[in-house]
Amino acid sequence: TDTANDNEGKKVTVPSSYFKALLKYQKTGATSGVGGYSAAAFYLEHRNYSQDAPDASMLMSIDELEERTGIDFFVNLGRVLGEANAARVESEKPAEGIWL
């Protein structure tokens, strides 16, 4: 973990990466996911990028992000969809056309 000085000269931690976990519900016409639910995750290292927007290399399943971070996302999804279907939503590779 790196540190930097804030405006007052105090050391603050600089994160090595950022992430986002997204869950989408589409009532009708869903082309992917389970029961209208689909999910995607993004993981970005804290560095300069040449592009202005995320690309496919940053897109991953929720399960992959959970493995990287050690955080269990969407813990209540199993109560909504059932455990097997929730596991499918979290493990499904996100469709680039939907999330990028």
Side-chain angles (χ1 to χ4, degrees):
T1 304
D2 290 329
T3 60
N5 293 328
D6 67 10
N7 291 339
E8 297 175 1
K10 296 177 186 174
K11 291 221 181 268
V12 293
T13 302
V14 176
S16 60
S17 59
Y18 298 88
F19 61 85
K20 186 176 279 196
L22 304 163
L23 180 65
K24 175 183 175 182
Y25 176 70
Q26 187 172 347
K27 192 170 186 173
T28 59
T31 58
S32 66
V34 177
Y37 288 88
S38 58
F42 290 90
Y43 185 89
L44 294 92
E45 295 175 359
H46 188 203
R47 62 176 176 83
N48 289 328
Y49 289 89
S50 60
Q51 71 268 26
D52 292 333
D55 64 25
S57 70
M58 302 165 191
L59 183 64
M60 63 183 62
S61 71
I62 298 300
D63 280 350
E64 289 173 289
L65 182 61
E66 288 176 339
E67 188 174 315
R68 279 192 180 199
T69 63
I71 299 170
D72 184 13
F73 298 99
F74 312 129
V75 295
N76 295 320
L77 190 59
R79 286 193 293 181
V80 175
L81 291 176
E83 293 301 325
N85 285 333
R88 282 182 48 209
V89 170
E90 290 189 3
S91 67
E92 189 175 69
K93 180 179 167 80
E96 291 180 28
I98 295 173
W99 298 101
L100 293 176

